[in-house]
């Protein structure tokens, strides 16, 4: 029986960072130069869900290959984060100021699902590739902190993927994998869950609409081997039946 559910955050529960690809893509193309568009788009698609610093390591290596020199990956990450946070900070502040509601940045049905699972005594955790202070702040601004026993993001200044680390440590801690479910919109968490025999729910979320299926994500999650794929959590009974049945 499932007693622990581990969620990815961005794109699975929260849409505060929706559109990050549109920040990363022009930055990479700007640094790599003309003719890099297809390579960049393909890499971003393949690397979705991994820690940002690993994406910036790829960028640094490509810059050096193409131009003979490049900056430290952490410098590229700082610039990417600066650009991304211009949008994310405005979204967060709009909730704080009451101009927007948390539900405006939540995948449909996600809060209701967390409430039901919490009431049933299921241990809920979040693992994210977003910087640890930011993911904790964003869980809080969306009013979700009370549901989770653990919220783990990327350690500042360290190359250590927390999403992968949390999932692996959980599944290697003596908890039977059959008692764990992993829910996410990225291939990283789904593939690790499958590797260990956990139950996996791939969320092919349309982050703009906050409901329905994103066909690109759906194909990615099928390839990762998700046990079931949904676009949102509006069918609460169906999700509960899969997770706890």
């Amino acid at each position: 029986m499932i007693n622990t559910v581990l969620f990815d955050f961005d794109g699975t529960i929260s849409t505060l960072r929706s559109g990050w690809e549109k920040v990363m893509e022009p930055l990479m193309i700007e640094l790599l130069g003309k003719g890099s568009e297809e390579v960049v788009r393909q890499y971003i698609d393949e690397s979705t869900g991994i820690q940002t610093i690993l994406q910036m390591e790829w960028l640094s290596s490509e810059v050096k290959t193409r131009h003979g020199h490049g900056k430290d990956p952490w410098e590229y990450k700082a610039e990417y984060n600066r650009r991304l946070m211009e949008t994310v900070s405005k979204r967060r502040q709009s909730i704080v100021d009451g101009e927007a509601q948390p539900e405006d940045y939540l995948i449909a049905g996600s809060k209701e699902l967390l409430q039901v699972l919490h009431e049933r005594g299921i241990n809920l955790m979040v693992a994210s590739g977003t910087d640890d202070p930011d993911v904790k702040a964003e869980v809080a601004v969306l009013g979700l902190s009370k549901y989770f026993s653990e919220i783990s993001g990327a350690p500042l200044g360290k190359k250590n993927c927390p999403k992968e680390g949390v999932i692996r440590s959980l599944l290697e801690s003596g908890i039977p994998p059959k008692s764990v479910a992993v829910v996410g919109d990225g291939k990283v968490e789904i593939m690790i869950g499958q590797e260990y025999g956990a139950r996996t729910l791939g969320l092919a979320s349309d982050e703009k609409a906050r409901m329905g299926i994103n066909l690109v994500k759906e194909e990615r999650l099928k390839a990762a081997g998700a046990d079931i794929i949904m676009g949102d959590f509006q069918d609460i009974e169906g999700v509960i039946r899969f997770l706890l049945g």
Side-chain angles (χ1 to χ4, degrees):
M1 179 179 175
I2 299 296
N3 56 35
T4 297
V5 181
L6 188 143
F7 288 88
D8 173 51
F9 190 61
D10 298 312
T12 299
I13 295 174
S14 168
T15 64
L16 282 169
R17 290 175 177 260
S18 176
W20 64 268
E21 303 96 331
K22 291 181 173 59
V23 176
M24 186 175 288
E25 183 180 314
L27 172 64
M28 287 184 166
I29 292 171
E30 177 185 316
L31 292 166
L32 294 177
K34 261 187 179 179
S36 64
E37 293 85 355
E38 188 57 37
V39 171
V40 166
R41 292 188 190 107
Q42 183 178 343
Y43 175 72
I44 289 175
D45 179 65
E46 291 173 351
S47 67
T48 296
I50 71 170
Q51 195 174 355
T52 307
I53 187 58
L54 301 179
Q55 293 171 310
M56 296 301 108
E57 285 188 344
W58 176 87
L59 174 61
S60 179
S61 175
E62 284 292 307
V63 171
K64 288 173 184 174
T65 298
R66 289 170 182 257
H67 304 298
H69 58 84
K71 293 181 179 179
D72 184 277
W74 291 101
E75 291 187 52
Y76 291 137
K77 186 192 173 196
E79 176 57 19
Y80 163 71
N81 204 53
R82 183 192 68 77
R83 296 185 187 191
L84 177 63
M85 289 307 292
E86 287 179 0
T87 298
V88 177
S89 295
K90 288 177 184 176
R91 291 173 177 172
R92 281 162 50 168
Q93 195 60 43
S94 71
I95 297 173
V96 172
D97 293 341
E99 297 168 0
Q101 299 301 312
E103 288 72 20
D104 296 332
Y105 295 102
L106 288 170
I107 295 297
S110 57
K111 187 172 184 178
E112 293 81 0
L113 174 63
L114 295 175
Q115 180 67 36
V116 171
L117 291 172
H118 184 69
E119 288 174 353
R120 294 195 180 197
I122 304 300
N123 180 37
L124 305 177
M125 307 169 71
V126 163
S128 174
T130 297
D131 286 345
D132 192 70
D134 287 328
V135 71
K136 285 182 167 66
E138 288 160 31
V139 170
V141 82
L142 291 172
L144 305 177
S145 301
K146 65 182 179 181
Y147 297 118
F148 299 108
S149 64
E150 182 173 343
I151 301 167
S152 181
L156 292 179
K158 294 182 180 179
K159 187 177 69 175
N160 174 29
C161 181
K163 184 189 295 185
E164 181 175 347
V166 169
I167 298 171
R168 288 191 184 281
S169 64
L170 175 67
L171 296 173
E172 292 171 359
S173 66
I175 299 176
K178 294 296 183 184
S179 70
V180 179
V182 178
V183 182
D185 73 323
K187 65 180 183 181
V188 173
E189 57 268 27
I190 298 302
M191 289 177 71
I192 297 173
Q194 284 293 316
E195 177 187 339
Y196 281 88
R199 197 169 297 187
T200 57
L201 190 162
L203 198 81
S205 56
D206 179 334
E207 296 180 46
K208 187 173 181 180
R210 294 184 294 108
M211 62 180 68
I213 293 277
N214 176 306
L215 296 177
V216 174
K217 284 188 182 182
E218 183 179 33
E219 288 305 309
R220 189 186 298 150
L221 292 165
K222 281 181 182 176
D227 292 323
I228 191 172
I229 297 174
M230 299 180 175
D232 53 56
F233 302 111
Q234 292 187 95
D235 178 14
I236 296 285
E237 289 186 6
V239 177
I240 293 295
R241 195 160 48 244
F242 170 73
L243 291 178
L244 306 184

